[in-house]
């Protein structure tokens, strides 16, 4: 049998993170690999109540087919919450998706023909890179510093390359780097989007998890022409298992996403949408997020303190003000994939950074997650990792 | 602003059914338009129990990220149920998807480059046509009769066209025609698939809803080389709101679907998968399906009887032995879209058949759904529709 696949299938391989996660299911492994929220914070009791209420009050509707756009009251509540990132939200501009991952897939599906250019941060989110790859784009990575994407480099690309079709960014507590863009860069990005007439995909799964420092308005909040498409999710602030994210965009753009969603899977889970809506009605999600932040802040602190104490001198790493990740640059001659093999021998896991560069390279980097492990295991794991790094540096 | 969209976006428009459904939300409309199951049969009380149990027993896991393939015990139960269609199922060959609609989208994504040919029945399911269109295929429609796709016509195409890449069929109670393939045609289809080395997508959302007549084994059950990809769903036998369907395929093929699912939305709703699994553990789904069949059989009967009594002489229509739909051929000069406008004036809705032909034409056809309306309204609606047709035929 020699069935022929579409060309895009040559481009796809299993996400390295997912494969590593499989290895790390053994309970003795201290994993900094995933981007998993802390399950002990999930509102299980509240879920039991809202689930019962939804089934009592509107069970038949919750189990029936529903509209592609999503459950109206939930769309309205999401729009209202967007005030938190400086957006005067409108429920009609919200499409419910299966996590923001689906919004990433749809974005490339809507904008990208084979060979078109997607501009992204270097490094960028591996899940976005994999979703985009199915549409056979060319990636152009833009160097970043502590304030985000470097705008002169971005303009250099936009002014010299013809078939750039979209810009993809994660301005808050970026995955994988943990960095956050300055306000100036956010404004400048919109300016350049306007000048070169390009859609901007702003992916913001972590923005609500700020532990310290000042609030920064979203890129979308500076959008003057309706070209910023904002992707949000409840995966990090509520729970990921329900797969509820959203696309927020102006009407014409949103309509394209709705068409694609209809063709892709008709609509998102009706029951879970109503459960989440009921939760938002009965409980205070912001209070819940405060609880999450207290725990993650402590975990971030212990990770960063232990890195400082236990990692060899001369490594670079980011100090994230929120989110789930820090990012470490090892000496140039150390390959993080080799390091991972040695780390797994002492039951510590992380994601080598190379996969976050769509065009490859930078194998001396790694992403560390601090949200999913308790404090004592973070300390222990980072200490072990420090030793393994030190040994590799000696060789 | 003149943002450029991918070429595929020119091909997509909102599903006519979904647009009609919006018009038919007024309670006075007797709708034969959707493919909605009867909501009064949804197991709401059972859902309350299983939801509580899942949250009690494994709440944190049900709300966390999970594997792309789907929840293991549910995959095993689905595999076991496939015995019902003549397949010796294996849980490792199951991928959980968001309804079988997602399996349709993935199929085209995996096999189709721009311009490749998808061979399908004429007519075929509008939702599949729309999902496939996003990958810019050419459709070749094969004429059908009461035993299914005409195999000589199929072989004529396969032997003369070069870039055929997949065959898509709905052999049981087809949407929209209500027809069922004979065993001989099923076997022959596999033979031709083998001869021309093509993947066959067998879409079977209705097969378990047989009201009468003998059981027919699935096309997949005759598969000798692992080239048949079987799509199933709980939308019609349990409820559609949870969006749980599956792809059943041999390992190499399934792996492609898993890669695509991972890139598209990581995984399906963890909570709903566990709820359904718990339901299948505690209750007898086959008993539940028997209840559904009793209701639908009566509704089918009243629809077919009333059509016989009230529709003008000389129309052709199928007598479905199961499923949700019958299919009516009007006189050649009657356009069903015009008929719909007149029918809506007397508060009756249906889907004009033209949209089920990917290359257009056959505007004198219509699809009637009998699962969603109570018997008295079916009778009343068909009588009204008969009058409107008779009036149009006089003009």
């Amino acid at each position: 049998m020699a069935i022929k696949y579409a060309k895009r299938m040559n481009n796809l391989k299993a996400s390295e993170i997912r494969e590593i996660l499989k290895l790390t299911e053994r309970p003795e492994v201290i994993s900094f690999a995933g981007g998993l929220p802390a399950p002990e914070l999930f509102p299980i009791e509240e879920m039991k109540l809202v689930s019962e209420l939804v089934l009592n009050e509107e069970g038949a509707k919750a189990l029936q087919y529903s509209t592609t756009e999503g459950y109206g009251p939930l769309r309205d509540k999401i729009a209202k919450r967007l005030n938190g990132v400086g957006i005067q939200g409108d429920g009609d501009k919200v499409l419910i998706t299966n996590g923001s991952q689906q919004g990433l897939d749809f974005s490339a599906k809507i904008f990208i023909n084979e060979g078109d250019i997607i501009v992204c941060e270097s490094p960028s989110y591996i899940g976005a890179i994999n979703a985009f790859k199915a549409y056979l784009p060319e990636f152009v990575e833009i160097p970043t510093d502590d304030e985000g994407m470097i705008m002169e480099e971005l303009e250099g690309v936009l002014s010299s390359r013809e078939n750039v079709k979209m810009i993809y960014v994660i301005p808050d507590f970026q995955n994988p780097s943990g960095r956050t863009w300055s306000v100036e860069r956010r404004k400048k990005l919109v300016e350049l989007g306007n000048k070169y007439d390009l859609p901007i995909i702003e992916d913001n799964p972590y923005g609500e998890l700020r532990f310290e420092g000042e609030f920064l308005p979203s890129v979308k909040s500076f959008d003057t022409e309706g070209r910023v498409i904002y992707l949000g999710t409840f995966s990090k602030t509520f729970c990921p298992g329900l797969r509820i994210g959203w696309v927020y965009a102006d009407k014409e753009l949103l309509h394209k996403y709705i068409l694609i969603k209809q063709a892709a899977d008709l609509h998102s889970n009706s029951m879970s949408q109503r459960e989440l809506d009921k939760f938002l009605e009965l409980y205070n999600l912001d209070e819940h997020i405060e609880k999450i932040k207290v725990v993650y802040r402590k975990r971030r602190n212990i990770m960063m303190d232990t890195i400082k104490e236990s990692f060899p001198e001369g490594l670079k790493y980011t100090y994230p003000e929120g989110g789930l990740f820090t990012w470490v640059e090892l000496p140039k001659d150390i390959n993080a994939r080799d390091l991972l093999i040695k780390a797994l021998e002492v039951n510590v896991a992380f994601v080598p950074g190379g996969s976050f560069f769509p065009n490859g390279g930078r194998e001396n980097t790694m992403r560390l997650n601090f949200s999913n492990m308790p404090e004592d295991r973070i300390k222990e794991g980072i200490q072990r990792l420090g030793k393994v790094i030190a040994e590799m540096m000696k060789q």
Side-chain angles (χ1 to χ4, degrees), chain A:
Chain A
M1 199 168 74
I3 284 178
K4 288 193 194 82
Y5 299 109
K7 195 158 43 159
R8 67 174 58 82
M9 299 310 292
N10 302 331
N11 252 18
L12 293 182
K13 42 182 192 179
S15 149
E16 191 169 13
I17 296 182
R18 296 243 136 199
E19 297 309 305
I20 294 169
L21 281 177
K22 279 185 190 165
L23 291 175
T24 62
E25 272 168 11
R26 286 177 295 139
E28 65 270 27
V29 172
I30 300 176
S31 178
F32 306 128
L36 303 187
E40 62 272 28
L41 298 170
F42 293 154
I44 294 174
E45 289 307 311
E46 293 86 341
M47 272 299 293
K48 270 156 73 175
L49 180 66
V50 298
S51 176
E52 193 187 342
L53 288 174
V54 165
L55 287 165
N56 277 339
E57 292 169 9
E58 43 189 12
K61 284 183 182 168
L63 301 178
Q64 185 60 288
Y65 284 114
S66 58
T67 59
T68 301
E69 291 84 344
Y71 182 51
L74 178 61
R75 298 169 74 204
D76 290 340
K77 287 188 183 68
I78 288 170
K80 215 168 157 191
R81 285 192 64 78
L82 288 174
N83 286 327
V85 290
I87 299 168
Q88 297 297 318
D90 169 357
D92 288 341
K93 297 183 180 174
V94 174
L95 166 69
I96 306 293
T97 54
N98 303 328
S100 50
Q101 183 70 27
Q102 192 175 43
L104 294 169
D105 176 56
F106 289 175
S107 296
K109 199 167 181 180
I110 289 169
F111 296 114
I112 301 301
N113 292 317
E114 181 177 348
D116 284 345
I117 292 173
I118 297 174
V119 167
C120 65
E121 294 157 287
S122 183
S124 187
Y125 168 48
I126 185 174
I129 295 167
N130 282 338
F132 298 163
K133 274 185 179 169
Y135 303 94
L136 300 164
E138 178 185 342
F139 290 94
V140 174
E141 300 174 43
I142 309 291
T144 54
D145 62 20
D146 283 340
E147 293 188 44
M149 201 181 250
I150 296 171
M151 287 295 128
E152 293 70 28
E153 301 271 357
L154 174 61
E155 182 146 25
V157 170
L158 300 186
S159 63
S160 64
R161 298 297 302 267
E162 274 193 1
N163 52 341
V164 176
K165 290 299 170 56
M166 76 186 213
I167 304 173
Y168 169 67
V169 296
I170 312 159
D172 291 84
F173 319 125
Q174 202 237 14
N175 183 355
S177 74
R179 284 175 183 151
T180 295
W181 289 36
S182 67
V183 170
E184 290 63 37
R185 298 270 176 97
R186 291 168 195 241
K187 286 182 182 165
K188 184 70 184 174
L189 176 64
V190 172
E191 258 179 53
L192 291 177
N194 288 346
K195 183 169 171 186
Y196 294 94
D197 206 359
L198 289 169
I200 297 166
I201 315 296
E202 178 181 24
D203 188 11
N204 190 12
Y206 318 108
E208 291 175 271
L209 300 177
R210 173 174 280 284
F211 314 142
E212 65 207 17
E214 71 173 320
F215 159 80
L216 296 175
S218 60
V219 172
K220 177 72 183 162
S221 73
F222 300 114
D223 186 14
T224 48
E225 300 183 355
R227 68 177 64 255
V228 179
I229 295 145
Y230 179 97
L231 307 183
T233 178
F234 288 97
S235 290
K236 307 303 189 290
T237 54
F238 183 70
C239 70
L242 301 186
R243 313 300 304 122
I244 301 186
W246 68 88
V247 175
Y248 187 83
D250 275 14
K251 206 174 164 184
E252 187 199 314
L253 279 170
L254 194 77
H255 182 64
K256 304 291 181 189
Y257 281 85
I258 293 168
L259 287 178
I260 288 289
K261 171 83 179 163
Q262 194 174 83
D265 64 2
L266 303 183
H267 64 84
S268 286
N269 191 304
S270 323
M271 175 83 190
S272 295
Q273 289 186 63
R274 283 168 189 261
E275 286 169 339
L276 176 56
D277 180 69
K278 187 61 83 179
F279 179 92
L280 294 172
E281 190 186 310
L282 296 183
Y283 301 100
N284 187 328
L285 182 62
D286 291 320
E287 277 176 17
H288 181 68
I289 293 173
E290 285 306 315
K291 281 186 218 163
I292 296 174
K293 282 158 59 174
V294 168
V295 173
Y296 289 6
R297 183 188 294 118
K298 279 190 204 156
R299 292 180 180 182
R300 190 266 328 253
N301 289 347
I302 194 102
M303 179 173 278
M304 300 316 297
D305 290 349
T306 316
I307 285 178
K308 211 170 169 184
E309 289 159 22
S310 319
F311 274 20
E313 292 285 309
L315 304 190
K316 277 197 234 167
Y317 44 85
T318 46
Y319 182 88
E321 294 191 326
L324 307 184
F325 306 108
T326 185
W327 175 254
V328 180
E329 289 185 45
L330 302 158
K332 282 225 167 68
D333 57 334
I334 292 194
N335 185 313
R337 295 178 209 263
D338 299 335
L339 177 64
L340 176 63
I341 292 164
K342 290 185 199 294
L344 283 169
E345 284 168 13
V346 295
N347 288 325
V348 175
F350 60 84
V351 183
S355 311
F356 297 93
F357 298 88
N359 300 321
R362 305 294 304 278
E363 294 294 345
N364 64 320
T365 56
M366 62 180 176
R367 189 191 75 175
L368 299 176
N369 165 268
F370 52 77
S371 62
N372 190 245
M373 287 280 131
E375 290 170 54
D376 56 336
R377 302 198 81 200
I378 291 175
K379 188 164 181 173
E380 173 66 29
I382 293 293
Q383 285 171 342
R384 286 188 206 167
L385 193 54
K387 275 186 206 153
V388 178
I389 296 171
E391 279 162 26
M392 278 191 81
M393 284 172 67
K394 270 187 229 149
Q395 282 162 0

